[in-house]
Each structure stands twice: as structure tokens, then as C-alpha cells.
Amino acid sequence: MKVFGVAGWSGSGKTTLLKRLIPEIVGLGVTVSTVKHAHHAFDVDVPGKDSYEHRAAGATEVLVSSVNRWALVHELRGAPELTLDDILARLSPVDLVLIEGFKRAGHAKIEVVRPSLGKAPLYPDDSHVVAVASDEPIPGLRLPRLDLDDVAGIADFVLEHCGLARARTRVV
């Protein structure tokens, strides 16, 4: 599996970019999974539902399955957070895993930079940032700058970087 990330500060537009990038890449016949890092407690289940109640009662893992999908929730219960490598090892094989967040991890990534946010960019101190996607020019930038609105161009860059470049032919 090839791994490529989208990093940046909160509010920079990482999720918006990925929501547009995923169908662009999938439309070219590339299978994609995603990994999203959360910096806070989160729930993927609804209080009152059986699976939530099983977890709340102390189950370490709860797997919910239906004809359309399955989901596994694993409570760490004080154990350390998984590393990105641990997470990737649990995924089913696909052509490309797109990672949102994990901005300090050692995989190739595009940094979403919006100078208007006033946040210091990551790329000067992170050699794993291979390009910057921005909504405006960045003076002195020594990396490729991709227009944040050019999703097809960003997809081409990611696929080329990962060795997955294919003719821009849509899969029907």
C-alpha cells in the first residue's frame, strides 16, 4: 500500500481537500482508504444503542456488522495510542491510504497552508512535506505549490509521487 498525507493546522481545509480529492482519485480507478487522527476523545457510536452500551459496560472491543458495513470499536482503556504503523497494519489492502493529520509522522505529505490563518507553516521544519497546497502564493517557497482549488492537479501530484500515475481516464 502506498501512503500519502494531508497535513496542516486546524481550520486550514484538510478535510475539505480530502473530501474533494478522494472521489477524484477513486474516479481514476485507484482504491483508497483513509486514516484520520483525532486529538481529542471521540465517539463513533450513539448513546443508547446496544453497541455503545456494550462498550460503556466495559467491553474492550465491540464489532457491529450488517449487510452493508462493519465497524470495530476498540477501547484503549489506558493503553498507549496506536502508532501510524500499527494503524496501517490493521487496514485491508488498497492502492493508496490517504492520511489526514499525523502531521509529525514520517510519511510524504502535502501541507495545506492558508497564510490568512496566521499560523507558522510546518514545511520549513518537516522534510516529509513534499508540496504545499495553498489558496494564495507563498513568497520564498522552495517546494511545489499546488492551487488548493485544482483538485485534479493535486490528485495527479499525489499519484505521480506514489508511483500510481495513470492516464487521466475516468472509470465508469
Side-chain angles (χ1 to χ4, degrees), residues 94-138:
V94 292
D95 298 324
L96 176 64
V97 177
L98 292 172
I99 299 171
E100 181 179 348
F102 288 94
K103 65 181 164 231
R104 302 287 181 214
H107 58 279
K109 60 193 81 127
I110 289 174
E111 180 181 0
V112 179
V113 175
R114 290 190 188 264
S116 61
L117 289 179
K119 295 273 194 177
L122 305 170
Y123 65 83
D125 300 317
D126 186 348
S127 62
H128 300 290
V129 175
V130 297
V132 170
S134 182
D135 56 349
E136 58 184 89
I138 300 173

Short mmCIF file of all heavy atoms in Angstrom, two decimals, residues 94-138:
data_model
loop_
_atom_site.label_atom_id
_atom_site.label_comp_id
_atom_site.label_asym_id
_atom_site.label_seq_id
_atom_site.Cartn_x
_atom_site.Cartn_y
_atom_site.Cartn_z
N VAL A 94 -5.30 -1.75 -0.10
CA VAL A 94 -5.81 -0.85 -1.13
C VAL A 94 -4.60 -0.29 -1.87
O VAL A 94 -3.46 -0.51 -1.47
CB VAL A 94 -6.64 0.33 -0.54
CG1 VAL A 94 -7.94 -0.16 0.07
CG2 VAL A 94 -5.83 1.12 0.47
N ASP A 95 -4.85 0.45 -2.95
CA ASP A 95 -3.75 1.07 -3.69
C ASP A 95 -3.11 2.20 -2.89
O ASP A 95 -1.89 2.37 -2.90
CB ASP A 95 -4.25 1.63 -5.03
CG ASP A 95 -4.79 0.56 -5.96
OD1 ASP A 95 -4.24 -0.56 -5.97
OD2 ASP A 95 -5.78 0.84 -6.66
N LEU A 96 -3.95 3.01 -2.22
CA LEU A 96 -3.47 4.24 -1.59
C LEU A 96 -4.21 4.50 -0.28
O LEU A 96 -5.44 4.43 -0.23
CB LEU A 96 -3.70 5.42 -2.54
CG LEU A 96 -3.34 6.81 -2.05
CD1 LEU A 96 -1.84 6.95 -1.77
CD2 LEU A 96 -3.78 7.85 -3.09
N VAL A 97 -3.45 4.80 0.76
CA VAL A 97 -4.03 5.24 2.03
C VAL A 97 -3.73 6.73 2.15
O VAL A 97 -2.56 7.13 2.14
CB VAL A 97 -3.46 4.49 3.24
CG1 VAL A 97 -4.06 5.03 4.54
CG2 VAL A 97 -3.70 2.99 3.12
N LEU A 98 -4.78 7.53 2.25
CA LEU A 98 -4.63 8.97 2.47
C LEU A 98 -4.79 9.24 3.96
O LEU A 98 -5.75 8.77 4.58
CB LEU A 98 -5.68 9.75 1.68
CG LEU A 98 -5.52 9.69 0.16
CD1 LEU A 98 -6.72 10.34 -0.53
CD2 LEU A 98 -4.22 10.36 -0.27
N ILE A 99 -3.83 9.97 4.51
CA ILE A 99 -3.80 10.22 5.95
C ILE A 99 -4.07 11.69 6.21
O ILE A 99 -3.40 12.55 5.64
CB ILE A 99 -2.43 9.83 6.53
CG1 ILE A 99 -2.21 8.34 6.29
CG2 ILE A 99 -2.35 10.18 8.01
CD1 ILE A 99 -0.82 7.88 6.61
N GLU A 100 -5.05 11.95 7.06
CA GLU A 100 -5.33 13.32 7.49
C GLU A 100 -4.81 13.47 8.91
O GLU A 100 -5.18 12.72 9.80
CB GLU A 100 -6.82 13.65 7.45
CG GLU A 100 -7.09 15.07 7.89
CD GLU A 100 -8.55 15.48 7.85
OE1 GLU A 100 -9.37 14.75 7.28
OE2 GLU A 100 -8.87 16.54 8.41
N GLY A 101 -3.97 14.45 9.09
CA GLY A 101 -3.37 14.65 10.40
C GLY A 101 -2.05 13.91 10.49
O GLY A 101 -1.35 13.76 9.51
N PHE A 102 -1.71 13.44 11.69
CA PHE A 102 -0.41 12.80 11.92
C PHE A 102 0.69 13.68 11.33
O PHE A 102 1.60 13.20 10.66
CB PHE A 102 -0.36 11.39 11.31
CG PHE A 102 -1.18 10.38 12.04
CD1 PHE A 102 -2.48 10.12 11.63
CD2 PHE A 102 -0.68 9.70 13.13
CE1 PHE A 102 -3.26 9.18 12.30
CE2 PHE A 102 -1.45 8.75 13.80
CZ PHE A 102 -2.74 8.50 13.39
N LYS A 103 0.59 14.98 11.58
CA LYS A 103 1.48 15.93 10.91
C LYS A 103 2.94 15.77 11.28
O LYS A 103 3.81 16.23 10.57
CB LYS A 103 1.00 17.36 11.11
CG LYS A 103 1.02 17.88 12.51
CD LYS A 103 0.49 19.32 12.53
CE LYS A 103 0.12 19.74 13.93
NZ LYS A 103 -1.20 20.28 14.01
N ARG A 104 3.25 15.09 12.36
CA ARG A 104 4.65 14.89 12.76
C ARG A 104 5.19 13.52 12.34
O ARG A 104 6.34 13.21 12.59
CB ARG A 104 4.79 15.06 14.28
CG ARG A 104 4.34 16.40 14.80
CD ARG A 104 5.29 17.50 14.44
NE ARG A 104 4.82 18.78 14.99
CZ ARG A 104 4.98 19.93 14.40
NH1 ARG A 104 5.60 20.00 13.25
NH2 ARG A 104 4.53 21.03 14.95
N ALA A 105 4.35 12.69 11.70
CA ALA A 105 4.79 11.36 11.28
C ALA A 105 5.66 11.46 10.03
O ALA A 105 5.65 12.46 9.31
CB ALA A 105 3.57 10.48 11.02
N GLY A 106 6.41 10.39 9.77
CA GLY A 106 7.43 10.41 8.72
C GLY A 106 6.99 9.91 7.36
O GLY A 106 7.77 9.23 6.69
N HIS A 107 5.79 10.23 6.92
CA HIS A 107 5.34 9.86 5.58
C HIS A 107 5.28 11.12 4.71
O HIS A 107 5.18 12.24 5.23
CB HIS A 107 3.96 9.18 5.63
CG HIS A 107 2.91 10.02 6.27
ND1 HIS A 107 2.77 10.13 7.65
CD2 HIS A 107 1.97 10.84 5.74
CE1 HIS A 107 1.78 10.96 7.92
NE2 HIS A 107 1.28 11.41 6.79
N ALA A 108 5.34 10.92 3.40
CA ALA A 108 5.22 12.05 2.48
C ALA A 108 3.86 12.69 2.63
O ALA A 108 2.85 12.01 2.84
CB ALA A 108 5.43 11.58 1.04
N LYS A 109 3.83 14.03 2.54
CA LYS A 109 2.56 14.73 2.72
C LYS A 109 2.56 16.06 2.00
O LYS A 109 3.61 16.64 1.73
CB LYS A 109 2.26 14.92 4.21
CG LYS A 109 3.30 15.73 4.95
CD LYS A 109 3.16 15.64 6.47
CE LYS A 109 3.78 14.40 6.98
NZ LYS A 109 4.75 14.52 8.04
N ILE A 110 1.36 16.51 1.72
CA ILE A 110 1.10 17.87 1.26
C ILE A 110 0.66 18.64 2.49
O ILE A 110 -0.16 18.16 3.27
CB ILE A 110 -0.02 17.91 0.20
CG1 ILE A 110 0.47 17.32 -1.11
CG2 ILE A 110 -0.54 19.33 0.00
CD1 ILE A 110 -0.62 17.19 -2.17
N GLU A 111 1.19 19.84 2.64
CA GLU A 111 0.72 20.70 3.72
C GLU A 111 -0.27 21.70 3.14
O GLU A 111 0.01 22.36 2.14
CB GLU A 111 1.86 21.46 4.38
CG GLU A 111 1.37 22.36 5.51
CD GLU A 111 2.45 23.16 6.20
OE1 GLU A 111 3.63 23.04 5.83
OE2 GLU A 111 2.10 23.92 7.13
N VAL A 112 -1.44 21.79 3.76
CA VAL A 112 -2.42 22.80 3.39
C VAL A 112 -2.07 24.07 4.18
O VAL A 112 -2.07 24.05 5.42
CB VAL A 112 -3.87 22.35 3.70
CG1 VAL A 112 -4.85 23.44 3.33
CG2 VAL A 112 -4.18 21.06 2.95
N VAL A 113 -1.74 25.12 3.44
CA VAL A 113 -1.31 26.38 4.07
C VAL A 113 -2.25 27.49 3.63
O VAL A 113 -2.46 27.70 2.44
CB VAL A 113 0.14 26.74 3.67
CG1 VAL A 113 0.53 28.09 4.23
CG2 VAL A 113 1.10 25.67 4.14
N ARG A 114 -2.80 28.16 4.60
CA ARG A 114 -3.60 29.37 4.34
C ARG A 114 -2.93 30.51 5.12
O ARG A 114 -3.13 30.65 6.32
CB ARG A 114 -5.03 29.18 4.79
CG ARG A 114 -5.80 28.19 3.93
CD ARG A 114 -7.28 28.24 4.30
NE ARG A 114 -8.01 27.20 3.64
CZ ARG A 114 -8.68 27.36 2.50
NH1 ARG A 114 -8.68 28.52 1.89
NH2 ARG A 114 -9.34 26.36 1.97
N PRO A 115 -2.14 31.33 4.42
CA PRO A 115 -1.44 32.41 5.10
C PRO A 115 -2.37 33.30 5.93
O PRO A 115 -1.97 33.84 6.96
CB PRO A 115 -0.78 33.19 3.96
CG PRO A 115 -0.57 32.14 2.90
CD PRO A 115 -1.78 31.25 3.01
N SER A 116 -3.63 33.41 5.51
CA SER A 116 -4.59 34.26 6.22
C SER A 116 -4.86 33.77 7.65
O SER A 116 -5.33 34.54 8.48
CB SER A 116 -5.90 34.36 5.44
OG SER A 116 -6.49 33.07 5.33
N LEU A 117 -4.57 32.50 7.96
CA LEU A 117 -4.77 31.98 9.32
C LEU A 117 -3.70 32.48 10.29
O LEU A 117 -3.89 32.42 11.50
CB LEU A 117 -4.76 30.45 9.31
CG LEU A 117 -5.95 29.74 8.70
CD1 LEU A 117 -5.76 28.23 8.76
CD2 LEU A 117 -7.25 30.14 9.40
N GLY A 118 -2.58 32.93 9.75
CA GLY A 118 -1.52 33.46 10.60
C GLY A 118 -0.74 32.41 11.37
O GLY A 118 -0.05 32.73 12.33
N LYS A 119 -0.82 31.15 10.96
CA LYS A 119 -0.08 30.06 11.62
C LYS A 119 1.24 29.82 10.89
O LYS A 119 1.29 29.86 9.66
CB LYS A 119 -0.89 28.77 11.59
CG LYS A 119 -2.17 28.82 12.37
CD LYS A 119 -1.89 28.45 13.80
CE LYS A 119 -3.18 28.16 14.53
NZ LYS A 119 -2.95 27.74 15.87
N ALA A 120 2.28 29.54 11.65
CA ALA A 120 3.58 29.23 11.05
C ALA A 120 3.46 27.91 10.28
O ALA A 120 2.93 26.93 10.81
CB ALA A 120 4.64 29.12 12.13
N PRO A 121 3.95 27.86 9.06
CA PRO A 121 3.85 26.61 8.29
C PRO A 121 4.75 25.52 8.88
O PRO A 121 5.73 25.80 9.57
CB PRO A 121 4.32 27.02 6.89
CG PRO A 121 5.13 28.24 7.09
CD PRO A 121 4.58 28.93 8.31
N LEU A 122 4.40 24.28 8.57
CA LEU A 122 5.16 23.12 9.03
C LEU A 122 6.36 22.83 8.13
O LEU A 122 7.37 22.33 8.59
CB LEU A 122 4.26 21.88 9.06
CG LEU A 122 2.96 21.97 9.85
CD1 LEU A 122 2.09 20.76 9.55
CD2 LEU A 122 3.27 22.07 11.33
N TYR A 123 6.23 23.13 6.82
CA TYR A 123 7.20 22.67 5.84
C TYR A 123 8.65 23.11 6.10
O TYR A 123 9.56 22.34 5.78
CB TYR A 123 6.78 23.04 4.40
CG TYR A 123 6.70 24.50 4.09
CD1 TYR A 123 7.84 25.22 3.74
CD2 TYR A 123 5.49 25.17 4.13
CE1 TYR A 123 7.78 26.57 3.45
CE2 TYR A 123 5.41 26.52 3.85
CZ TYR A 123 6.55 27.22 3.50
OH TYR A 123 6.48 28.55 3.21
N PRO A 124 8.92 24.25 6.69
CA PRO A 124 10.34 24.58 6.89
C PRO A 124 11.06 23.60 7.84
O PRO A 124 12.26 23.41 7.73
CB PRO A 124 10.31 25.98 7.51
CG PRO A 124 9.01 26.57 7.05
CD PRO A 124 8.07 25.39 7.05
N ASP A 125 10.30 22.96 8.73
CA ASP A 125 10.90 22.05 9.71
C ASP A 125 10.53 20.59 9.48
O ASP A 125 10.85 19.74 10.32
CB ASP A 125 10.46 22.46 11.12
CG ASP A 125 10.89 23.87 11.47
OD1 ASP A 125 12.05 24.23 11.16
OD2 ASP A 125 10.07 24.62 12.04
N ASP A 126 9.85 20.27 8.39
CA ASP A 126 9.40 18.90 8.13
C ASP A 126 9.82 18.50 6.72
O ASP A 126 9.19 18.90 5.74
CB ASP A 126 7.89 18.78 8.31
CG ASP A 126 7.39 17.35 8.19
OD1 ASP A 126 8.16 16.46 7.73
OD2 ASP A 126 6.22 17.10 8.53
N SER A 127 10.86 17.68 6.62
CA SER A 127 11.37 17.25 5.31
C SER A 127 10.41 16.29 4.61
O SER A 127 10.61 15.98 3.44
CB SER A 127 12.74 16.59 5.47
OG SER A 127 12.63 15.42 6.28
N HIS A 128 9.36 15.83 5.30
CA HIS A 128 8.40 14.93 4.69
C HIS A 128 7.29 15.69 3.94
O HIS A 128 6.51 15.07 3.23
CB HIS A 128 7.79 14.01 5.74
CG HIS A 128 8.82 13.16 6.41
ND1 HIS A 128 9.48 12.14 5.78
CD2 HIS A 128 9.35 13.21 7.66
CE1 HIS A 128 10.34 11.59 6.61
NE2 HIS A 128 10.28 12.23 7.76
N VAL A 129 7.23 17.01 4.10
CA VAL A 129 6.31 17.82 3.30
C VAL A 129 6.94 17.97 1.93
O VAL A 129 8.01 18.55 1.78
CB VAL A 129 6.05 19.20 3.95
CG1 VAL A 129 5.19 20.06 3.04
CG2 VAL A 129 5.38 19.04 5.32
N VAL A 130 6.27 17.40 0.92
CA VAL A 130 6.82 17.38 -0.43
C VAL A 130 6.18 18.43 -1.34
O VAL A 130 6.65 18.65 -2.46
CB VAL A 130 6.72 15.98 -1.07
CG1 VAL A 130 7.56 14.98 -0.27
CG2 VAL A 130 5.27 15.51 -1.16
N ALA A 131 5.11 19.05 -0.87
CA ALA A 131 4.43 20.11 -1.63
C ALA A 131 3.51 20.86 -0.68
O ALA A 131 3.18 20.37 0.40
CB ALA A 131 3.63 19.53 -2.79
N VAL A 132 3.11 22.04 -1.12
CA VAL A 132 2.20 22.87 -0.36
C VAL A 132 0.98 23.15 -1.22
O VAL A 132 1.12 23.51 -2.39
CB VAL A 132 2.89 24.19 0.07
CG1 VAL A 132 1.88 25.16 0.66
CG2 VAL A 132 4.00 23.91 1.06
N ALA A 133 -0.20 22.97 -0.65
CA ALA A 133 -1.44 23.36 -1.33
C ALA A 133 -1.93 24.62 -0.63
O ALA A 133 -2.09 24.65 0.59
CB ALA A 133 -2.49 22.25 -1.22
N SER A 134 -2.13 25.66 -1.41
CA SER A 134 -2.49 26.95 -0.81
C SER A 134 -3.46 27.69 -1.71
O SER A 134 -3.52 27.46 -2.92
CB SER A 134 -1.22 27.79 -0.60
OG SER A 134 -1.54 29.02 0.01
N ASP A 135 -4.19 28.61 -1.08
CA ASP A 135 -5.14 29.43 -1.81
C ASP A 135 -4.52 30.75 -2.28
O ASP A 135 -5.20 31.57 -2.87
CB ASP A 135 -6.39 29.68 -0.97
CG ASP A 135 -6.08 30.32 0.38
OD1 ASP A 135 -4.89 30.39 0.78
OD2 ASP A 135 -7.03 30.75 1.06
N GLU A 136 -3.24 30.94 -1.99
CA GLU A 136 -2.55 32.14 -2.45
C GLU A 136 -1.06 31.87 -2.55
O GLU A 136 -0.55 30.92 -1.95
CB GLU A 136 -2.84 33.33 -1.53
CG GLU A 136 -2.44 33.12 -0.08
CD GLU A 136 -2.84 34.31 0.79
OE1 GLU A 136 -3.98 34.29 1.30
OE2 GLU A 136 -2.02 35.22 0.96
N PRO A 137 -0.34 32.68 -3.34
CA PRO A 137 1.11 32.49 -3.47
C PRO A 137 1.82 32.61 -2.12
O PRO A 137 1.35 33.31 -1.22
CB PRO A 137 1.54 33.63 -4.40
CG PRO A 137 0.29 34.04 -5.11
CD PRO A 137 -0.84 33.78 -4.16
N ILE A 138 2.95 31.91 -2.00
CA ILE A 138 3.74 31.93 -0.77
C ILE A 138 5.16 32.37 -1.14
O ILE A 138 5.91 31.60 -1.76
CB ILE A 138 3.75 30.55 -0.08
CG1 ILE A 138 2.32 30.14 0.27
CG2 ILE A 138 4.64 30.58 1.15
CD1 ILE A 138 2.19 28.74 0.80
#
